[in-house]
Amino acid sequence: MDQFINFISYQFEVYNQPYTVGQLLIVPITLLLGIVFIRRMERIMMTKLWAMEHDRDLILLIQRLYMVVTYILLALLLLTQLGIPLTAFAFVSGAVAIGVGFGAQNIINNFISGWILMWERPI
């Protein structure tokens, strides 16, 4: 038992960030338990929604939103367990948002132009 505790508490550094073997073993365990929990909650939620006989498209939209949000939260939890600061992703996400904005600018422009053409055209 003493050897196992020594193995779990063995400390090493990656990019000047200290880690222990125990911390690295907790991450896959948390990932596995998180995925199992998310899927079970999804099944429970879906059976209740199907029993209430909601619109099929609405149920599938809720399912997709639930899965995306919970997997993102699980990824953020795993990053914080590893001690990776989430502020490091703020710059990258800002750059991605600006890129998507510039990319969507042409699509929005074409959409609005289409509406204007439909209003001007006599029926």
Side-chain angles (χ1 to χ4, degrees):
M1 186 69 172
D2 221 18
Q3 291 177 342
F4 180 72
I5 292 174
N6 287 338
F7 175 71
I8 294 292
S9 62
Y10 177 74
Q11 190 171 10
F12 59 94
E13 287 188 11
V14 177
Y15 294 111
N16 296 328
Q17 179 75 22
Y19 294 105
T20 63
V21 175
Q23 285 176 321
L24 293 182
L25 289 177
I26 287 177
V27 171
I29 292 170
T30 304
L31 178 66
L32 182 65
L33 291 176
I35 289 173
V36 168
F37 178 75
I38 288 170
R39 288 189 177 169
R40 287 214 176 147
M41 293 306 293
E42 176 200 8
R43 277 193 215 115
I44 292 170
M45 181 178 67
M46 297 314 289
T47 54
K48 292 197 184 274
L49 286 174
W50 285 112
M52 287 196 263
E53 298 178 0
H54 285 292
D55 183 31
R56 182 177 184 266
D57 294 329
L58 177 66
I59 292 173
L60 294 176
L61 174 69
I62 291 171
Q63 176 190 19
R64 186 68 55 158
L65 285 174
Y66 170 76
M67 295 300 284
V68 168
V69 169
T70 52
Y71 280 130
I72 288 173
L73 290 175
L74 181 63
L76 293 176
L77 174 71
L78 293 174
L79 288 175
T80 55
Q81 277 185 344
L82 286 173
I84 298 173
L86 298 178
T87 56
F89 297 105
F91 178 74
V92 173
S93 62
V96 168
I98 290 172
V100 168
F102 280 126
Q105 185 177 16
N106 194 20
I107 295 170
I108 301 290
N109 186 16
N110 290 340
F111 182 73
I112 292 172
S113 297
W115 276 102
I116 291 171
L117 288 173
M118 284 181 11
W119 285 332
E120 288 181 354
R121 194 166 116 192
I123 297 176

